[in-house]
Amino acid sequence: MNFTDLAELRYALSATSYVQSFMNTIDQLFSPLKLEANVFHNGQYCGAWAIDTSGSEKMTFHVVVRGSCYLNFNNQLTKLTEGDAIFLPSDAKHIITNFPEQEISINKADTLPMQAVLTEPSTGLVCGNFGHEHPLFDRLMKQLPEVIIVQGGEGSASSKIIDVIIEESARSGLESSLLLNRLSDCLFLSMVQDHADQDSGVFAALAHEKLSRAMALIHQETEKVISLEALSEAAGMSRSAFSSLFKSLVGLSPMDYLKQWKMTLAYRWLADEGVTTYEAALRSGYESESSFSKAFSSVMGFGPGKARAKQR
């Protein structure tokens, strides 16, 4: 092996490690948010039809598992074919139809089971939304575009998961199934990894070669007191350069983001485990209950007691 081959090998290994680190950090980011998919439709539309599933105040999605249709979003038409998926992180108003040039009553058409054999063309759709139990999820979703389209057959991890969803959709024949829900969870995480905007926001920091190391430290060392110096050292930057770059991308200072992350976890401890405010303070690295309560309220908009009430 010559020098060039060795250099290319090292670069490939480094890139693989970097991508894996990004994926691991994405998992850590969403784990405490307890995101859970709910598939509420798995069937075929035929004839003239149009649907709009907005209004749930939840992130919605659609997967085309058979045939084709059109997405009308902000009066822009996009043709969708089998294997394509749509995500609407902010529950934006939209129309999916098979006759975009006609005015059709919204959400009036009946659907048929996926096993039904039809002589006329039909479109199979798996539709659902994502529930969560965390106040910061919607804030995070605002960093994603209003609509994300994942195209089938592009070879990405998302498109491979869609292939399995298509198989399960036809096999189950049910409005929903546990496997369809779990596959949709996987599709969401894969979509974020493949399509999240990496120019600004939290996802940009996760994808940044240097800042990602500091983000990993924040997300992994959950119960330790972490200093700005430790974060800048992890990124391999001076404190001033690190702080400036971090805030320009994320919109928060490193220490404010660290506080937000600690309160994200503290919410889970309070709401799920029912720990005392004092115990949550100690786990979060705060020496007093009052300073923790003040930090928690500044991030969440309500106090620890309200979070604990959810557990009761």
Side-chain angles (χ1 to χ4, degrees):
M1 178 179 293
N2 59 38
F3 177 80
T4 303
D5 293 337
L6 183 59
E8 290 177 352
L9 177 59
R10 285 176 175 169
Y11 177 80
L13 290 174
S14 174
T16 301
S17 175
Y18 170 68
V19 170
Q20 186 62 50
S21 175
F22 178 66
M23 294 171 65
N24 290 341
T25 311
I26 287 288
D27 291 342
Q28 292 165 357
L29 179 65
F30 283 101
S31 179
L33 303 183
K34 288 199 169 180
L35 186 69
E36 195 167 278
N38 169 43
V39 172
F40 54 75
H41 177 269
N42 175 32
Q44 301 180 76
Y45 287 99
C46 58
W49 57 272
I51 63 170
D52 175 5
T53 60
S54 63
S56 67
E57 297 185 356
K58 296 181 179 180
M59 178 179 181
T60 57
F61 67 95
H62 307 279
V63 181
V64 182
V65 297
R66 182 177 299 174
S68 62
C69 55
Y70 292 86
L71 168 67
N72 186 335
F73 185 77
N74 288 339
N75 294 320
Q76 296 290 321
L77 287 178
T78 303
K79 185 173 183 179
L80 306 169
T81 58
E82 181 177 319
D84 293 344
I86 314 161
F87 288 87
L88 298 125
S90 58
D91 190 32
K93 189 172 180 59
H94 61 281
I95 295 175
I96 300 177
T97 180
N98 63 335
F99 284 106
E101 67 278 3
Q102 296 183 17
E103 188 171 327
I104 303 171
S105 298
I106 306 296
N107 298 336
K108 297 295 184 181
D110 295 327
T111 62
L112 295 170
M114 289 302 298
Q115 282 92 344
V117 179
L118 305 175
T119 56
E120 57 183 310
S122 67
T123 302
L125 290 177
V126 168
C127 308
N129 54 40
F130 292 98
H132 63 89
E133 297 179 1
H134 206 291
L136 294 183
F137 177 76
D138 293 331
R139 195 181 303 177
L140 188 61
M141 289 300 96
K142 288 179 180 178
Q143 297 184 23
L144 293 173
E146 284 190 301
V147 61
I148 297 172
I149 299 177
V150 179
Q151 294 184 321
E154 62 182 15
S156 65
S158 298
S159 64
K160 292 175 183 177
I161 296 172
I162 290 172
D163 289 342
V164 184
I165 289 177
I166 292 173
E167 292 179 12
E168 174 60 16
S169 167
R171 187 199 66 79
S172 69
L174 304 173
E175 278 294 297
S176 180
S177 74
L178 180 61
L179 184 53
L180 276 179
N181 288 338
R182 298 293 76 79
L183 286 169
S184 299
D185 288 335
C186 295
L187 180 59
F188 168 78
L189 291 174
S190 179
M191 177 276 297
V192 170
Q193 292 165 4
D194 291 341
H195 299 275
D197 181 6
Q198 297 181 6
D199 293 329
S200 63
V202 173
F203 301 115
L206 295 177
H208 194 278
E209 184 177 2
K210 292 185 176 181
L211 295 188
S212 61
R213 302 171 198 157
M215 295 291 277
L217 180 62
I218 290 174
H219 294 148
Q220 290 169 5
E221 303 295 342
T222 57
E223 299 182 21
K224 290 185 178 181
V225 177
I226 305 174
S227 65
L228 177 60
E229 184 176 5
L231 293 175
S232 59
E233 285 180 357
M237 303 172 67
S238 69
R239 288 199 303 178
S240 59
F242 169 73
S243 297
S244 177
L245 177 60
F246 193 100
K247 188 166 186 178
S248 69
L249 283 183
V250 179
L252 295 171
S253 71
M255 302 314 288
D256 282 342
Y257 180 80
L258 175 62
K259 179 174 71 171
Q260 179 174 288
W261 177 248
K262 284 183 176 291
M263 297 307 109
T264 298
L265 298 177
Y267 178 86
R268 288 268 70 94
W269 301 330
L270 293 161
D272 295 351
E273 301 175 24
V275 304
T276 65
T277 302
Y278 181 65
E279 185 178 349
L282 292 180
R283 284 198 197 181
S284 303
Y286 285 78
E287 296 182 354
S288 72
E289 186 175 325
S290 60
S291 60
F292 166 79
S293 296
K294 183 178 180 180
F296 188 91
S297 298
S298 69
V299 172
M300 295 297 177
F302 53 84
K306 185 175 181 179
R308 292 186 74 242
K310 287 184 174 291
Q311 198 275 342
R312 290 195 295 269

